[in-house]
Amino acid sequence: MRDEVVFDYLGRSRFATEAHAMASDLVISTGFLVVDKGTIDEPFRVRAIPMGECYPVEGPDGEIRNVYRKYKCRVSHIRETWPAATLSIRLARILKDKPREKVELVEATTYEPKKGYRFTVFDPYDKAIIYDVPPSDPNEPSRWITPRLYKRPGDNYGYGPAIIALPTIRTINKL
């Protein structure tokens, strides 16, 4: 019975489509998936995040502990995504005058030892926090899945088979 529930949830989460997009990045380096809380119809939602937007940081155990994401989104989507967001003065003005304009945001999922994960969104222009969920909130666990096929000690990003095969491909091309 639990199997059916798990596969039903996965089927409604867009996992198959999003995992494929993440796997494309994994061929080169590190893949990034985010699992968001959902609704009754879609209990959770899986999204692939482009590798170029993400900045992973390892913890002492070699696993990715913190992930920072820098990206652009429409200012009108901020409140849709985070209804409790507090817009900075600049973002409120842009929302009023040009709601379709894209603005840069930074998301940070950071691990605080003995507490858990904190999720923060801020406007890097104003250096203003617009949304913050402390680690004490049980509804905001670490939502990132960051597989790396190969990695060297001290490297945050991994190496995929395409990067590993590159020297061999160059040698074959010279021949």
Side-chain angles (χ1 to χ4, degrees), residues 152-171:
R152 291 179 234 174
D155 286 346
N156 289 328
Y157 289 95
Y159 301 90
I163 297 300
I164 292 168
L166 211 50
T168 305
I169 293 167
R170 285 185 183 140
T171 302

Side-chain angles (χ1 to χ4, degrees), residues 41-139:
D41 296 329
E42 187 181 38
F44 60 90
R45 184 165 182 240
V46 177
R47 294 180 294 129
I49 305 297
M51 181 176 47
E53 294 180 356
C54 300
Y55 305 91
V57 178
E58 279 188 347
D61 57 1
E63 294 295 318
I64 299 295
R65 277 270 177 87
N66 302 332
V67 178
Y68 302 91
R69 177 182 179 213
K70 187 176 183 180
Y71 66 103
K72 289 189 175 193
C73 79
R74 291 194 182 183
V75 72
S76 60
H77 292 173
I78 293 172
R79 284 259 169 76
E80 274 183 62
T81 307
W82 306 287
T86 304
L87 297 181
S88 65
I89 294 169
R90 180 183 80 90
L91 293 177
R93 188 175 350 122
I94 294 170
L95 178 63
K96 182 182 174 204
D97 297 339
K98 302 175 193 170
R100 296 183 51 80
E101 185 168 319
K102 289 191 174 189
V103 294
E104 189 170 76
L105 295 178
V106 174
E107 289 181 14
T109 301
T110 54
Y111 180 74
E112 297 180 12
K114 298 183 182 178
K115 292 182 180 178
Y117 287 90
R118 173 181 292 275
F119 178 72
T120 308
V121 180
F122 63 93
D123 175 1
Y125 184 82
D126 286 339
K127 295 179 179 59
I129 293 174
I130 63 172
Y131 185 70
D132 185 42
V133 180
S136 58
D137 189 332
N139 294 319

